[in-house]
């Protein structure tokens, strides 16, 4: 495209910061591209439909094209056209006929309209992606928007200590679409989530940190829209600095800031689930929307070339989505870390959960915990001060890295989910694995000075069965996804308690309720950092769908009516009771790994494993595949740090019984004092919890498939 006139004189501007920056006098544009020959900024009217000017950035400094347009104001709509070679065999896919999104854009307006015009090659051409398409994609593309970043914050930042953290994973739209406290016109938005009627009950649960599924700009892929479905979860980010318009009323980022401010007012952290490992531009047959047309050879990991320099046409696909973002490139690494810093400093979020984080640590030779991205986070004064949580796997070679991330990082521990589900399902030989999970999986995380909080424990997450479905279905039921139930995991470690799906059988319903209490109590009372899935606190169901990524409907929307039903309300009260125990009993959230070693200072072990007869468990107990009932004694007087000083905390006894029948469990002695007693504070066999005192040596009858918690003061 040729330049079109603009009423204000163009100036050379500055190469930093990257993106479109309003200065008060105009807007500075800066775009990285190592291989482009020319970069243009095309300006549009407020509707984003009519081009009003197209200016060529006049300067090129350190591989950054830049220029300053005086007089431009926040709200200006724009897009990029980048000129350069179209040579896929050498990794270059420049096509100036395609309007591109600025990687640093802080806001967007309009929706992508899928059509052959948004592809850099001619769809259907015999030469495939080696062909060149000359149709203009601008009418089909969203437009970038210049923002004014000023905002009057009311609250200070919230920083919850790691050993006090309880995550609550939810979805902005799914959480609010049926919430009775949200007016209809606010449902599905940040403004809806920001209401006190929504935030107050979250805080009352006893959680500390709300983790939001992706809210950065993402796309709906044609294979979903063609079936009348949508990318509900949002794991297909195209704008690393921009919020998705689906969750807001226009391109006003203040709506998100206000939501964060309200969460902070309630003492809650906001954690963002972020996707920096791939983009929706796909492989060589994918569209040209942003990075592919700006500098494909820099932004993506490409197959290594042959001796002739050719062969970079194809993409390395460690994500399973067609492409992999190339964080080995310094400018791409800068973009990701700039993005993270933006969300912390400008939007004031409190941490990040990284989707397929192994990829972010992957260098050309494979996963490297000393790789560029992880090093950047560890040394950065902003990023090292917030919570960093890895989903520590991808589909590439050596992609499963649970426990393999460096100090300073927490990691999703899927071993906890699988083990705890299998134990309460009644599988054999699960006791040793459960013991590891109860003590923050020290076999994986206790190294290099890492702390128990590094293990983020969960029994459910957005991906998989909800808690209610885990105890109601043996098999997935994903027919609504349109893939003949082939999608989603088949190994769910779930048990329907006798009937598949809904039932009116009161005995089965009571068993399911008890199993939910067992799973929740195990999660919230284990060492490490627990994560609760939104709605599990009152028995939310997805009707057996364990892969609801494409369901923007009643399957995914939280049904708040269940929260008001008797069983839902009782389960919520149970969760509040357990989080209160976790908060008030320090031995349940130690900041150091339990060792089971004798402390000379306190004259106790910090942790002792007990058989039902009260004896300490030995090798034979652990090796017996039928061991399904045992206890864990956590001594409150054991030193809470490396200093040889006794603590003065209450002791806790946890008893687990996954047998279907009752077992008598002998309560252990409490030192030399005869006045000490064990106070039962949890019995999952009871629908309502009540305290009761028992003498050491008492044989307590542990109901089949139940969990007990006893407390004893010093």
């Amino acid at each position: 495209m040729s330049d079109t006139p603009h009423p204000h004189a163009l100036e050379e501007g500055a190469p930093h910061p990257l993106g479109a920056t309003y200065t008060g006098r105009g807007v500075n544009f800066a775009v990285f591209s190592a291989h482009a020959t020319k970069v243009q900024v095309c300006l549009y009217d407020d509707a984003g439909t009519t081009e009003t000017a197209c200016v060529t950035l006049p300067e090129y400094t350190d591989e950054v094209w830049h220029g300053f347009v005086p007089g431009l104001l926040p709200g200006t709509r724009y897009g990029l056209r980048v000129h350069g070679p179209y040579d896929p065999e050498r990794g270059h896919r420049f096509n100036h006929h395609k309007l591109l999104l600025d990687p640093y854009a802080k806001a967007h307006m309009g929706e992508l309209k899928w059509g052959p015009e948004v592809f850099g090659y001619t769809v259907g051409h015999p030469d495939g992606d080696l062909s060149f398409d000359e149709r203009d994609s601008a009418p089909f593309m969203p437009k970038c928007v210049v923002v004014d970043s000023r905002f009057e914050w009311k609250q200070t930042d919230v920083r919850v200590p790691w050993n006090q953290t309880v995550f609550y994973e939810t979805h902005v739209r799914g959480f609010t679409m049926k919430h009775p406290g949200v007016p209809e016109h606010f449902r599905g938005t940040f403004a809806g989530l920001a209401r006190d009627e929504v935030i107050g009950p979250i805080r009352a649960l006893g959680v500390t940190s709300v983790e939001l599924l992706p809210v950065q700009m993402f796309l709906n892929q044609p294979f979903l829209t063609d079936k009348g479905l949508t990318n509900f979860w949002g794991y297909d980010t195209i704008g690393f600095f921009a919020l998705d318009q689906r969750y807001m009323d226009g391109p006003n980022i203040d709506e998100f800031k206000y939501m964060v401010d309200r969460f902070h007012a309630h003492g809650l952290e906001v954690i963002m689930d972020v996707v920096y490992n791939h983009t929706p531009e796909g492989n060589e047959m994918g569209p040209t929307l942003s990075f592919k047309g700006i500098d494909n050879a820099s932004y993506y990991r490409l197959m290594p070339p042959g001796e002739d320099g050719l062969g970079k046409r194809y993409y390395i696909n460690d994500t399973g989505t067609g492409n992999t973002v190339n964080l080995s490139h310094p400018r791409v690494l800068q973009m990701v870390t700039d993005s993270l810093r933006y969300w912390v400093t400008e939007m004031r979020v409190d941490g990040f959960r990284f989707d397929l984080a192994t990829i972010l640590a992957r260098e050309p030779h494979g996963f490297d915990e000393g790789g560029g991205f992880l090093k950047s986070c560890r040394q950065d004064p902003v990023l090292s001060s917030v919570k960093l949580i890895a989903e520590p796997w991808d589909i590439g070679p050596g992609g499963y890295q649970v426990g393999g991330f460096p100090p300073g990082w927490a990691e999703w521990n899927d071993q906890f989910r699988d083990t705890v589900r299998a134990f309460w399902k009644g599988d054999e030989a699960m006791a040793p694995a459960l013991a590891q999970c109860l003590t923050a999986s020290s076999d994986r995380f206790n190294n290099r000075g890492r702390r128990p909080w590094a293990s983020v424990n969960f029994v459910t997450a957005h991906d998989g069965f909800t808690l209610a479905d885990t105890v109601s279905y043996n098999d997935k039921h994903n027919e609504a996804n349109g893939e003949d139930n082939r999608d989603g995991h088949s190994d769910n470690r779930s048990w329907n308690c006798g009937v598949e799906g809904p039932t009116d059988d009161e005995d089965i319903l009571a068993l399911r309720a008890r199993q939910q209490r067992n799973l929740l109590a195990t999660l919230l009372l284990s060492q490490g950092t627990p994560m609760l899935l939104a709605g599990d606190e009152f028995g939310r169901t997805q009707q057996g769908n364990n892969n609801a990524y494409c369901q923007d409907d009643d399957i995914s929307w939280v049904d708040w009516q269940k929260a008001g039903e008797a069983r839902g309300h009782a389960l919520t009260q149970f969760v509040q009771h357990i989080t209160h125990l976790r908060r008030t009993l320090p031995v349940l959230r130690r900041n150091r790994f339990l060792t089971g070693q004798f402390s000379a200072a306190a004259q106790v072990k910090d942790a002792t494993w007990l058989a039902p007869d009260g004896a300490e468990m030995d090798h034979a107990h652990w090796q017996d595949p039928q061991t399904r009932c045992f206890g864990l004694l956590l001594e409150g007087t054991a030193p809470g740090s490396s200093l040889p000083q006794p603590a003065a905390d209450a002791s806790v006894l946890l008893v687990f019984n996954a047998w279907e029948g009752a077992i008598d469990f002998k309560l252990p002695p409490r030192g030399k004092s005869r006045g000490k007693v064990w106070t039962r504070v949890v019995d999952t066999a009871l629908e309502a919890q009540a305290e009761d005192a028992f003498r050491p040596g008492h044989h307590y009858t542990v109901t089949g498939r139940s969990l007990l918690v006893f407390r004893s003061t010093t």
Side-chain angles (χ1 to χ4, degrees), residues 178-212:
K178 301 178 76 172
H179 198 292
V182 179
E184 189 168 349
H185 62 285
F186 284 143
R187 293 184 176 183
T189 69
F190 298 125
L193 196 60
R195 295 182 66 85
D196 289 346
E197 298 93 328
V198 176
I199 304 176
I202 295 175
R203 189 69 180 99
L205 274 179
V207 301
T208 67
S209 312
V210 176
E211 183 177 309
L212 302 177

Side-chain angles (χ1 to χ4, degrees), residues 60-79:
Y60 186 55
T61 305
D62 295 335
E63 298 183 333
V64 175
W65 301 83
H66 55 94
F68 182 85
V69 183
L72 286 187
L73 297 172
T76 298
R77 276 68 166 150
Y78 73 100

Side-chain angles (χ1 to χ4, degrees), residues 56-120:
T56 297
L57 298 181
E59 290 293 336
Y60 186 55
T61 305
D62 295 335
E63 298 183 333
V64 175
W65 301 83
H66 55 94
F68 182 85
V69 183
L72 286 187
L73 297 172
T76 298
R77 276 68 166 150
Y78 73 100
L80 306 177
R81 294 190 187 275
V82 182
H83 300 247
Y86 189 83
D87 189 355
E89 287 286 4
R90 288 183 169 82
H92 302 310
R93 295 180 179 271
F94 295 98
N95 186 336
H96 63 277
H97 300 285
K98 309 305 168 184
L99 190 75
L100 306 173
L101 298 172
D102 177 2
Y104 276 74
K106 305 301 191 301
H108 298 94
M109 60 87 63
E111 294 183 6
L112 174 68
K113 301 173 184 175
W114 285 102
E117 293 83 358
V118 301
F119 291 78

Side-chain angles (χ1 to χ4, degrees), residues 155-422:
Q155 305 297 325
T156 57
D157 292 347
V158 175
R159 289 289 183 266
V160 178
W162 263 112
N163 71 325
Q164 297 176 25
T165 298
V166 180
F167 289 122
Y168 187 73
E169 189 196 36
T170 193
H171 186 284
V172 172
R173 182 169 170 82
F175 197 73
T176 59
M177 283 301 291
K178 301 178 76 172
H179 198 292
V182 179
E184 189 168 349
H185 62 285
F186 284 143
R187 293 184 176 183
T189 69
F190 298 125
L193 196 60
R195 295 182 66 85
D196 289 346
E197 298 93 328
V198 176
I199 304 176
I202 295 175
R203 189 69 180 99
L205 274 179
V207 301
T208 67
S209 312
V210 176
E211 183 177 309
L212 302 177
L213 265 68
V215 296
Q216 295 165 311
M217 184 187 175
F218 60 90
L219 297 180
N220 288 323
Q221 294 290 8
F223 81 92
L224 291 174
T225 56
D226 289 348
K227 294 189 292 186
L229 301 173
T230 187
N231 176 16
F232 182 68
W233 287 350
Y235 288 95
D236 221 359
T237 304
I238 192 64
F240 295 140
F241 293 78
L243 293 160
D244 195 277
Q245 301 166 73
R246 274 162 275 210
Y247 305 136
M248 47 200 300
D249 183 19
N252 186 352
I253 63 175
D254 286 357
E255 187 175 333
F256 181 86
K257 292 182 177 181
Y258 177 75
M259 179 202 72
V260 173
D261 213 34
R262 294 309 304 153
F263 271 89
H264 286 174
H266 285 264
L268 290 167
E269 293 181 317
V270 176
I271 310 295
M272 286 177 58
D273 194 335
V274 289
V275 188
Y276 293 107
N277 56 76
H278 76 280
T279 79
E281 290 187 302
N283 60 15
E284 67 277 1
M285 305 307 291
T288 297
L289 308 173
S290 180
F291 312 97
K292 187 178 287 186
I294 293 174
D295 194 348
N296 183 69
S298 295
Y299 277 106
Y300 294 115
R301 292 196 187 277
L302 305 177
M303 297 300 290
E307 293 182 1
D308 56 2
L310 303 178
K312 298 178 72 174
R313 172 183 177 186
Y314 301 106
Y315 296 74
I316 292 174
N317 183 22
D318 289 332
T319 65
T321 63
N323 64 51
T324 305
V325 174
N326 181 21
L327 268 78
S328 296
H329 192 288
R331 284 292 189 181
V332 181
L333 176 60
Q334 177 192 351
M335 176 190 68
V336 172
T337 51
D338 282 351
S339 168
L340 293 169
R341 281 189 291 268
Y342 170 78
W343 291 105
V344 175
T345 59
E346 183 62 39
M347 311 299 266
R348 298 204 178 179
V349 303
D350 306 290
F352 305 94
R353 179 266 189 190
F354 294 86
D355 178 64
L356 301 182
T358 297
I359 287 171
L360 305 180
R362 191 179 289 281
E363 299 294 344
H365 57 271
F367 175 82
D368 184 353
E369 66 97 359
F373 174 74
L374 298 184
K375 283 182 178 178
S376 295
C377 292
R378 291 177 70 184
Q379 61 79 37
D380 188 284
V382 173
L383 301 184
S384 61
S385 70
V386 300
K387 289 184 167 70
L388 302 175
I389 307 117
E391 181 187 41
W393 49 78
D394 65 21
I395 66 169
Y400 189 78
Q401 290 292 333
V402 174
F405 277 69
W409 282 77
E411 303 172 39
W412 271 28
N413 185 356
D414 64 332
Q415 296 295 314
F416 185 96
R417 174 198 61 200
D418 294 346
T419 300
V420 171
R421 286 189 183 189

